[in-house]
Amino acid sequence: MLGAITVNEKSKPMEASQYSFQETIVASSKVNWRIEDIIGGDKKLDFSKRFMPESLARVNDLDFLNDDEKRILNQIRGHAYLSIFGLAEEFILPFVLDHVRPSLDENDYRVRAFLQFAGEEAKHIQLFKEFSKDFKANFRSECKVIGPPAEIAKTVLAHSSLGVALAILHIEWMTQRHYIDSIRVDEGLDPQFKSLLKHHWLEEAQHAKLDTIMVEELVRTADAETLEKGIDDYLSIGGILDSGVKQQAALDLEAFEEATGRTLSSDERAEFVEKQHQANRWTYLGTGMTHPRFLETLSRIDPEYRGRIESVALNFC
Ligand SMILES: [Fe+2]
Ligand SMILES: [Fe+2]
């Protein structure tokens, strides 16, 4: 339980967490699924359908593409989406393990909840690798993804613990928002791709709560300088992600031209990269930065941090 603490002169005392380790363990044991049950065998991707909701893919903004080409680009975006999640999970996994490692004898529920969190992320990394194999075996071009994951993980993990924990909290709430607002309600998506997203979302719901507690734990022991660095580092990680997803838009253009056999004009290429970069910004940055629960946690640390992030988020919508 978090006691009432003052994190810096401007902040309100942080109250007890609304989430509990025990409840997340119970909830996650109810939804726990096996990779073998959701991918492989007769569970195949249907390439005649879209993979991503249009609110995230934003392929309809590209007027110079026909319907088939838009669907192909949408599928390329779907491949990048799960690959980028896998990549993020490669830094979430060691971070969660490092967070719990020094205090294994303090609270049994806490240890089990964080290990469950880490174990699920390890499973998701494996699931997304399996998906990528399935996709590559059936798609008509090579779809490159930013990386390598180990290098990105090293760069992200070089930031302060609070900065990384806030970036993870952003990612966890972002996943919830994507599924609830855009994916669950979209009847036109490929059922197999949608099933992977649904199973991922089910386990991520507990991660968002556990990462909220993790941020609260870090804030409880932080002085004003550590808090400032945490926010600065969160923004720095956001900047790394932004340049990564800009590169991804260029890689998606390459994959698109190869898959469709179409060579775009230089104006069309520029428009493609600009609009798809902005679509990626909304997908990976804006939807997390503006999530009400993420903003609520920032407010609890310091309302000024919330205001700062909200103004930066305007670039990513
Ligand atoms: Fe995950
Ligand atoms: Fe997660």
Side-chain angles (χ1 to χ4, degrees):
M1 292 274 285
L2 281 167
I5 41 114
T6 302
V7 291
N8 72 20
E9 286 161 11
K10 291 174 289 180
S11 65
K12 286 191 287 187
M14 205 165 223
E15 292 147 12
S17 184
Q18 58 189 308
Y19 304 121
S20 95
F21 292 120
Q22 194 172 352
E23 280 166 15
T24 61
I25 291 171
V26 172
S28 78
S29 60
K30 280 185 194 157
V31 297
N32 196 271
W33 41 262
R34 298 186 325 149
I35 290 180
E36 299 72 21
D37 293 334
I38 65 168
I39 196 165
D42 60 356
K43 296 177 192 63
K44 298 202 186 314
L45 297 164
D46 179 352
F47 285 88
S48 71
K49 294 202 155 64
R50 288 181 295 115
F51 288 4
M52 294 291 285
E54 174 57 19
S55 62
L56 302 179
R58 295 190 185 171
V59 300
N60 289 340
D61 291 352
L62 300 170
D63 298 335
F64 50 87
L65 303 186
N66 65 33
D67 288 348
D68 278 349
E69 290 168 338
K70 285 176 180 169
R71 192 192 66 252
I72 288 167
L73 175 57
N74 178 297
Q75 292 164 354
I76 292 169
R77 286 287 307 283
H79 176 263
Y81 183 73
L82 289 192
S83 303
I84 289 172
F85 265 122
L87 195 145
E89 286 168 346
E90 295 216 19
F91 66 77
I92 298 175
L93 171 57
F95 185 79
V96 173
L97 289 175
D98 285 350
H99 182 75
V100 73
R101 180 70 184 87
S103 44
L104 293 177
D105 56 352
E106 284 177 15
N107 174 339
D108 293 336
Y109 283 124
R110 178 177 179 275
V111 171
R112 288 177 56 208
F114 280 129
L115 291 181
Q116 177 84 12
F117 180 174
E120 285 168 357
E121 296 298 27
K123 184 172 68 174
H124 300 168
I125 291 169
Q126 191 178 359
L127 174 72
F128 297 151
K129 284 181 184 164
E130 289 300 314
F131 157 77
S132 191
K133 269 193 243 163
D134 262 16
F135 184 94
K136 282 176 182 159
N138 295 291
F139 196 66
R140 51 182 101 181
S141 71
E142 186 192 357
C143 295
K144 293 181 192 153
V145 180
I146 51 169
E151 203 55 47
I152 293 178
K154 199 172 145 198
T155 308
V156 170
L157 293 172
H159 292 80
S160 64
S161 296
L162 182 57
V164 179
L166 286 170
I168 297 172
L169 185 64
H170 160 137
I171 292 167
E172 306 292 1
W173 283 124
M174 178 182 99
T175 314
Q176 295 300 297
R177 184 175 192 173
H178 291 178
Y179 188 78
I180 293 166
D181 290 2
S182 312
I183 296 161
R184 184 167 60 179
V185 292
D186 193 331
E187 298 296 330
L189 300 181
D190 163 40
Q192 170 59 5
F193 194 80
K194 190 170 176 173
S195 158
L196 299 181
L197 296 176
K198 179 184 176 182
H199 285 88
H200 186 236
W201 163 72
L202 283 169
E203 291 187 341
E204 292 293 314
Q206 306 315 314
H207 299 182
K209 295 174 190 168
L210 289 170
D211 202 69
T212 302
I213 303 177
M214 196 191 295
V215 166
E216 290 164 349
E217 288 179 349
L218 292 168
V219 166
R220 186 166 52 186
T221 56
D223 58 18
E225 195 183 329
T226 308
L227 293 178
E228 280 294 319
K229 179 144 177 60
I231 291 292
D232 289 347
D233 281 0
Y234 163 69
L235 287 170
S236 161
I237 294 166
I240 292 166
L241 187 55
D242 186 33
S243 66
V245 297
K246 185 175 186 186
Q247 281 176 44
Q248 188 61 50
L251 293 173
D252 290 350
L253 168 62
E254 208 179 290
F256 170 81
E257 289 194 323
E258 194 188 329
T260 58
R262 183 172 168 189
T263 305
L264 300 181
S265 70
S266 59
D267 283 353
E268 288 167 342
R269 282 184 179 174
E271 186 180 338
F272 181 111
V273 171
E274 189 202 325
K275 288 187 170 168
Q276 282 293 290
H277 176 212
Q278 199 59 29
N280 279 339
R281 282 178 142 186
W282 171 241
T283 302
Y284 301 103
L285 291 154
T287 54
M289 286 176 136
T290 62
H291 193 289
R293 297 288 181 92
F294 179 71
L295 291 172
E296 184 189 313
T297 295
L298 288 178
S299 286
R300 293 179 71 217
I301 303 173
D302 188 330
E304 194 221 325
Y305 293 159
R306 177 189 176 125
R308 206 190 300 177
I309 299 306
E310 278 180 316
S311 66
V312 173
L314 295 173
N315 299 309
F316 302 126
C317 293

